[in-house]
Amino acid sequence: MALKKLVNFSPLFAITVFVALVALLLKFYPKFNSQQKLFTAEQLALHNGTNDSLPILLGILGSVFDVTKGKSHYGPGGGYNHFAGRDASRAFVSGNFTGDGLTDSLHGLSSTEVKGVVEWREFYIRTYTYVGKLVGRYYDSQGNATKYLKGVEAKAARGAQLLEKQKKEEAKQPSCNSRWSQDEGGEVWCDVGFPRLVQRPLEIALTGKMSKRCACFTEDQLGQGGLETYEGCDFLSSRCRV
Ligand code: HEM
Ligand SMILES: *[C@@H]1O[C@H](CO)[C@@H](O)[C@H](O)[C@H]1NC(C)=O
Ligand SMILES: *[C@@H]1O[C@H](CO)[C@@H](O)[C@H](O)[C@H]1NC(C)=O
Ligand SMILES: *[C@@H]1O[C@H](CO)[C@@H](O)[C@H](O)[C@H]1NC(C)=O
Ligand SMILES: *[C@@H]1O[C@H](CO)[C@@H](O)[C@H](O)[C@H]1NC(C)=O
């Protein structure tokens, strides 16, 4: 029967077929191939969108992605052309696309900012095709992660923990309602209690300029430290203009 026939295949033939299949897989699916392409900074620089016969490549944390399908962003004249042909990891959180701002160094950034860069790498993994590694700060000439990359990943993990802890902390104190309109400007209010500004921990405040948040406090909570009243707003007003 069919099963008997299968079992009767010569092992040599089976192995040959298997090896051929694996070879095909590796050829057509580079993702399965651990021998990724390694780029030098100079090679990567050729892929900045000026040469139509080369794909547009972008490096982030030393991972290189083909972003040709995002040509409108990354090609010549695109708003994010500065990211093409290089690793400008820092600019993903600094927003500084000029001169020395275009660096792969994350020196001095907070853990939550470093987490931001790692999240951008996740965006590229999801959205574009991974093509290899840039030899330099994040990968050595063997393609192994450097201690700098391991440090960045550890710091990002600490940033994630910190944000998680902050989220739990903020859940304990209800946030203000808020609205904003062109004519009337901004307004915050509390259904229960009184609006106060609360400073976030420095490490979180550094990112996104979200240094303070508005939360609602009951009258007997108002004595606790670190609560800032809105300018021009009564001490016991449930609504303040901002
Ligand atoms: C730190 C600052 C910023 C960074 C690093 C950044 C980065 C990026 C990148 C890499 C893309 C392309 C994403 C892709 O491949 O699809 C993008 C798209 C976009 N960005 Fe930003 N951005 C920044 C600030 C801003 C600001 C301030 C605005 C608006 C006021 C903005 C508006 C947009 C829009 C609308 C798109 C999508 C464009 C489209 O799909 O056609 N970005 N951004
Ligand atoms: C793109 O890279 C080439 C080769 O490195 C360089 O000559 C050219 O000035 C770059 N163009 C832009 C817009 O960055
Ligand atoms: C563009 O890239 C192709 C393929 O690598 C190369 O042969 C050609 O010389 C490049 N053109 C320019 C203007 O650099
Ligand atoms: C960008 O970074 C460079 C070098 O760190 C600095 O000189 C420049 O002032 C920065 N520009 C902006 C707009 O932050
Ligand atoms: C670096 O990579 C090589 C080959 O890719 C591997 O054999 C070696 O064990 C790696 N070294 C370290 C320290 O991870």
Side-chain angles (χ1 to χ4, degrees), residues 34-63:
S34 61
Q35 193 64 53
Q36 282 290 349
K37 188 163 163 50
L38 295 178
F39 295 86
T40 63
E42 291 71 27
Q43 288 165 340
L44 187 57
L46 297 173
H47 296 76
N48 62 2
T50 51
N51 186 333
D52 276 335
S53 51
L54 295 175
I56 305 177
L57 304 181
L58 164 160
I60 177 165
L61 300 176
S63 290

Side-chain angles (χ1 to χ4, degrees), residues 132-176:
K133 296 163 181 170
L134 172 63
V135 173
R137 190 186 296 275
Y138 297 104
Y139 291 98
D140 64 20
S141 56
Q142 311 297 307
N144 292 333
T146 60
K147 67 172 198 276
Y148 197 87
L149 180 57
K150 289 172 185 164
V152 158
E153 271 156 2
K155 193 162 182 178
R158 286 202 301 282
Q161 276 181 353
L162 203 66
L163 287 170
E164 200 54 45
K165 191 175 143 233
Q166 180 68 11
K167 215 171 113 188
K168 283 189 184 142
E169 208 55 49
E170 293 189 1
K172 292 180 192 163
Q173 198 69 37
S175 294
C176 306

Side-chain angles (χ1 to χ4, degrees), residues 14-242:
I15 288 167
T16 308
V17 168
F18 180 77
V19 168
L21 278 174
V22 168
L24 266 173
L25 210 66
L26 288 180
K27 185 163 160 55
F28 290 109
Y29 294 98
K31 274 186 184 172
F32 296 145
N33 193 340
S34 61
Q35 193 64 53
Q36 282 290 349
K37 188 163 163 50
L38 295 178
F39 295 86
T40 63
E42 291 71 27
Q43 288 165 340
L44 187 57
L46 297 173
H47 296 76
N48 62 2
T50 51
N51 186 333
D52 276 335
S53 51
L54 295 175
I56 305 177
L57 304 181
L58 164 160
I60 177 165
L61 300 176
S63 290
V64 179
F65 297 90
D66 184 332
V67 295
T68 309
K69 75 173 182 191
K71 202 177 194 141
S72 59
H73 305 308
Y74 304 104
Y80 300 105
N81 178 240
H82 287 308
F83 283 128
R86 55 153 65 91
D87 185 329
S89 289
R90 190 186 193 87
F92 283 96
V93 292
S94 72
N96 185 342
F97 306 145
T98 61
D100 292 343
L102 293 169
T103 173
D104 60 356
S105 167
L106 304 186
H107 187 81
L109 296 183
S110 72
S111 65
T112 48
E113 288 172 313
V114 171
K115 179 175 178 278
V117 182
V118 168
E119 280 171 354
W120 271 106
R121 182 179 64 182
E122 283 156 14
F123 164 80
Y124 286 100
I125 293 171
R126 278 199 310 278
T127 315
Y128 294 101
T129 309
Y130 174 71
V131 293
K133 296 163 181 170
L134 172 63
V135 173
R137 190 186 296 275
Y138 297 104
Y139 291 98
D140 64 20
S141 56
Q142 311 297 307
N144 292 333
T146 60
K147 67 172 198 276
Y148 197 87
L149 180 57
K150 289 172 185 164
V152 158
E153 271 156 2
K155 193 162 182 178
R158 286 202 301 282
Q161 276 181 353
L162 203 66
L163 287 170
E164 200 54 45
K165 191 175 143 233
Q166 180 68 11
K167 215 171 113 188
K168 283 189 184 142
E169 208 55 49
E170 293 189 1
K172 292 180 192 163
Q173 198 69 37
S175 294
C176 306
N177 304 302
S178 67
R179 68 171 159 230
W180 193 88
S181 75
Q182 190 90 59
D183 318 325
E184 298 178 32
E187 195 176 30
V188 295
W189 74 96
C190 293
D191 297 323
V192 176
F194 309 99
R196 289 294 183 270
L197 276 166
V198 192
Q199 176 73 49
R200 290 196 165 108
L202 187 62
E203 183 96 342
I204 285 156
L206 284 170
T207 51
K209 292 108 209 151
M210 296 292 287
S211 64
K212 291 174 182 174
R213 76 156 184 143
C214 181
C216 298
F217 294 85
T218 58
E219 197 167 352
D220 56 319
Q221 288 178 315
L222 291 178
Q224 71 192 58
L227 305 188
E228 191 186 324
T229 53
Y230 277 89
E231 212 178 289
C233 193
D234 286 343
F235 192 75
L236 289 182
S237 173
S238 64
R239 193 174 283 272
C240 304
R241 304 214 146 270
V242 296

